[in-house]
Amino acid sequence: VIYIPVKNIEAEYNRLRNSDFIVKELINKYYGREFVTQDPYGYKIAIFQEYKSGEKLLPGMELWKNENA
């Protein structure tokens, strides 16, 4: 699996979501949000966006501590 960071995960997901290449839908992880796609040869590519320190996460997710505050 190759991991590729992006600045706008929603835009990337929306661009690819109607293709046949989405392997795992957009999900929340402890470090950020990600989805997995694949190229025509079947190689997996994880697209992710990290949460920012101090950012309020979605309901049910932990709130990151801002170390600089």
Side-chain angles (χ1 to χ4, degrees):
V1 177
I2 297 171
Y3 282 82
I4 299 176
V6 295
K7 291 185 179 189
N8 188 340
I9 190 102
E10 295 286 338
E12 295 301 325
Y13 180 73
N14 288 332
R15 186 170 66 85
L16 295 170
R17 75 176 175 181
N18 292 326
S19 73
D20 293 333
F21 297 114
I22 296 291
V23 176
K24 286 178 90 178
E25 297 296 322
L26 183 61
I27 58 173
N28 298 313
K29 298 279 200 163
Y30 68 93
Y31 57 84
R33 302 182 75 202
E34 79 170 32
F35 68 94
V36 179
T37 186
Q38 66 182 5
D39 71 7
Y41 299 103
Y43 291 100
K44 306 296 187 271
I45 304 165
I47 311 294
F48 73 98
Q49 181 177 357
E50 292 180 321
Y51 293 124
K52 296 177 184 136
S53 181
E55 181 177 23
K56 184 175 181 183
L57 308 182
L58 298 175
M61 301 293 288
E62 69 178 280
L63 182 64
W64 286 64
K65 181 179 179 184
N66 187 342
E67 299 288 332
N68 298 323

